[in-house]
Amino acid sequence: MKNSDPACPVIAIIGAGASGTLLAWHLWKNGVEAKIVVIGDAPEPALGLAYGTRCSSHFLNVCAAGMSALMEDPEHFLRWAQLHHDPTVQAGSFVPRMVYGQYLASLWKEAAADYVHGHVLTCDRAPPGWRLVLADGQILEASYVVLATGNFAPASLSDPRRQVPGYYPSAWQNDLYARIQPDDDVALIGTGLTAVDVLMRLREQGHRGSITAISRHGWYPTSHTAGLSDDSHVVFAETAPTARAYLAAFRQCLRSGIPWRSVVNALRSQTNALWDRLSWEEKDRFSRHLQRRWDIVRHRMAPALRERMDAAIQSGMLRTLTGRVEQVSGVAGRVRLSIRGGNGLSFLTVAHAVNCTGPSRDYRSVGSALLIGLLEQRIVQQTPLGGLVCNSAGALQDDTGNWSPTLYAIGPMRWGSLFETTAIPEIRHQAAELAHFLVEQVTGLDMRVEAVNGN
C-alpha cells in the first residue's frame, strides 16, 4: 500500500474500536491534513468488543443523552437513534449496545480512514517517526502513533500452559455460548457488568440451567433511576487528598440528605482531578479498599437489566457466593473452582465457568508483544497500578521522564494516569482534544506510510 502523497503526514491509530473510531472521526471532522491509517484485529472496524455484540439484551449503561460523539452537540446520537433505530427513543432511553455499534460504524464511514486488518507486533522509533511491523509481515511507517487498543482480557485464574475444558478465561469468547447447553450449570467469576452481560446472553439464547456468580463481596452493579440531576454544590476540591477523606466527604453528602446517585453524578466531572491529587500510596489504598464500592454505584446498569437480574435471583436461577476464586482446574470432565471465603476454602464443580472479572491493566502480562516491546525498550512506562503514564494530552512518557511528541494513548490505556477513562463521555473528550492537537501539529511534516513484505 503506497501512500499517494509521500509528503503527507501519517497518523497511525492502533485499535479500531470505539476509541480509535472516535479519534479518526474527530480528525476527519477537524480537517486534518494527514493520512489516517487505523489498524485493528477485527475483520471490520468501528465496533470493538463492547459494541460488536449481537445480543439485544446488552444495553448501554448510559442513557442516549450521554452517548453523543460530540461534546458540543449532546443530541447527536439521540437524533441518529431516532432516525436510524427507533423514532420513539428519548434522551433518557437505554438502547441496545449493538445500536451504538451501528452509530460508530456510521461515523467510521464519514471519516473514510484507511483500514488495515492486522495485528501490530512492534512499534519502533524510525526518525522522524515510527515503524510498525505487523504479524503478516506488513511494515507501516507513520509520523504519529496513537495506542487505542482498549481493554485486555482478565488475569488468568488457571495454569496458562494447561487448558481446562469448560473454563473460559474471557467472557468475550463468542464460542463459549455455542458450547453451553440449555441445562448446563454455569459459574460466573465476578458479579460486575460483564457477569450481567453473560447472564443476559445466556437467557436470551434459551439457557435454563442454574448459574452461580462468585465475587469477594457478592455485590452486583446498581441501576439508574429517572428524575435525578447533578447537585453542583457537591464539591470535594477542598477535601484532603486521601482515600479516607474522600470517603468521609461522600458520607457527609449522604448525611446531608443528598441522594447517593446525585452525589455520584455530580462527582463525574471531578473524579480525574481528585485522583490526580492523590499520592500513589493513596491511589493504591483507594484501589484496594474502595474501588469496587465505587464501581457498583458509578457503573450502573439500565433499569430493565436490573429487573431481569432480580427476577433471576428470586426464581433461584441465579445464586451468589462470596469468596475469591483462587484456582481453576479440571475434574472428570467438569470445572472445579477453589474458593477462599470467610469460612476457609470451599469447592464448586460445574459444567462451565466464565471469567467475568475486570480487564487486566498490567501490560507486562496481557500477552501483547507490542506493549511488552514498548515497555522493554523503555519507550513507555507503566503506572504502579497498571495502564500507561501519560499527560493530559495523552502523550506517553519514556523512562527518562520525557513526553513523546509523536506517541499517544487514548481510552482505557490511560488508566492509572486517569481514573475515569473507559466510558464514552471521557473518550469523546480525549478524542476531540487529541484530534485538535494533532491537526495543529501535522502541518509541514514530510512523512510517508508504506506496506511492504517484511522478509
Side-chain angles (χ1 to χ4, degrees), residues 179-372:
R179 297 181 182 183
I180 297 176
Q181 299 303 305
D183 294 310
D184 287 347
D185 50 353
V186 179
L188 307 180
I189 305 171
T191 56
L193 290 170
T194 301
V196 176
D197 272 356
V198 176
L199 172 66
M200 292 301 119
R201 184 164 175 182
L202 286 173
R203 290 298 184 244
E204 185 172 285
Q205 71 178 29
H207 181 264
R208 52 184 177 265
S210 66
I211 295 178
T212 302
I214 309 152
S215 70
R216 289 179 59 193
H217 301 289
W219 295 333
Y220 292 98
T222 51
S223 65
H224 292 275
T225 188
L228 287 179
S229 59
D230 298 352
D231 282 81
S232 58
H233 60 279
V234 175
V235 179
F236 284 14
E238 302 303 319
T239 305
T242 69
R244 187 183 296 274
Y246 287 174
L247 177 61
F250 190 95
R251 287 174 169 169
Q252 180 57 41
C253 289
L254 302 185
R255 285 193 292 269
S256 70
I258 304 174
W260 66 262
R261 287 181 175 86
S262 293
V263 180
V264 173
N265 292 347
L267 286 174
R268 178 73 178 266
S269 63
Q270 305 176 44
T271 47
N272 277 333
L274 292 171
W275 180 256
D276 191 54
R277 294 178 62 217
L278 296 176
S279 66
W280 282 111
E281 180 182 5
E282 286 298 320
K283 289 176 181 177
D284 178 65
R285 182 172 288 112
F286 184 96
S287 298
R288 287 186 289 111
H289 299 292
L290 297 176
Q291 182 78 57
R292 180 55 182 152
R293 294 174 182 267
W294 173 258
D295 286 346
I296 65 172
V297 298
R298 161 66 182 85
H299 299 288
R300 286 164 267 166
M301 69 176 84
L305 287 185
R306 183 72 204 202
E307 291 175 4
R308 296 184 194 181
M309 192 191 74
D310 288 343
I313 293 174
Q314 292 168 8
S315 70
M317 287 186 169
L318 173 63
R319 69 174 184 137
T320 309
L321 293 180
T322 57
R324 179 169 57 88
V325 176
E326 293 189 337
Q327 187 177 19
V328 177
S329 56
V331 177
R334 289 168 64 82
V335 182
R336 188 169 94 158
L337 307 179
S338 303
I339 305 168
R340 178 71 62 180
N343 296 320
L345 188 65
S346 62
F347 302 93
L348 174 68
T349 303
V350 291
H352 303 274
V354 186
N355 190 343
C356 302
T357 57
S360 174
R361 296 189 173 104
D362 179 2
Y363 292 150
R364 296 186 184 277
S365 64
V366 295
S368 169
L370 168 65
L371 293 176
I372 290 174

Side-chain angles (χ1 to χ4, degrees), residues 3 126 232 312 316 408-409:
N3 184 5
S232 58
Y408 296 84

Side-chain angles (χ1 to χ4, degrees), residues 21-157:
T21 298
L22 287 173
L23 177 58
W25 185 72
H26 277 281
L27 286 168
W28 164 78
K29 194 169 183 62
N30 279 272
V32 67
E33 295 181 0
K35 184 180 181 66
I36 305 170
V37 180
V38 181
I39 308 117
D41 293 333
E44 298 294 331
L47 302 181
L49 290 176
Y51 306 111
T53 178
R54 305 308 302 167
C55 177
S56 61
S57 297
H58 288 169
F59 289 93
L60 293 174
N61 301 317
V62 177
C63 62
M67 295 297 289
S68 171
L70 282 168
M71 294 180 293
E72 63 272 23
D73 184 4
E75 295 187 348
H76 189 269
F77 170 65
L78 177 60
R79 293 194 304 272
W80 184 95
Q82 291 171 338
L83 180 62
H84 297 281
H85 171 58
D86 183 349
T88 67
V89 172
Q90 301 298 313
S93 300
F94 293 86
V95 302
R97 288 210 306 265
M98 61 183 179
V99 173
Y100 197 75
Q102 295 165 9
Y103 172 65
L104 290 173
S106 72
L107 301 181
W108 174 267
K109 289 180 181 178
E110 290 182 351
D114 287 350
Y115 184 57
V116 176
H117 177 206
H119 185 75
V120 179
L121 293 179
T122 63
C123 176
D124 300 313
R125 292 188 181 97
W130 299 91
R131 182 176 184 266
L132 308 180
V133 178
L134 278 61
D136 64 359
Q138 289 190 79
I139 297 176
L140 307 180
E141 295 180 1
S143 322
Y144 292 89
V145 171
V146 181
L147 304 180
T149 57
N151 286 319
F152 288 85
S156 178
L157 297 173

Side-chain angles (χ1 to χ4, degrees), residues 159-180:
D159 187 341
R161 298 165 298 179
R162 182 180 303 169
Q163 289 187 339
V164 177
Y167 169 65
Y168 308 99
S170 170
W172 301 106
Q173 296 176 235
N174 283 320
D175 63 329
L176 73 88
Y177 296 98
R179 297 181 182 183
I180 297 176

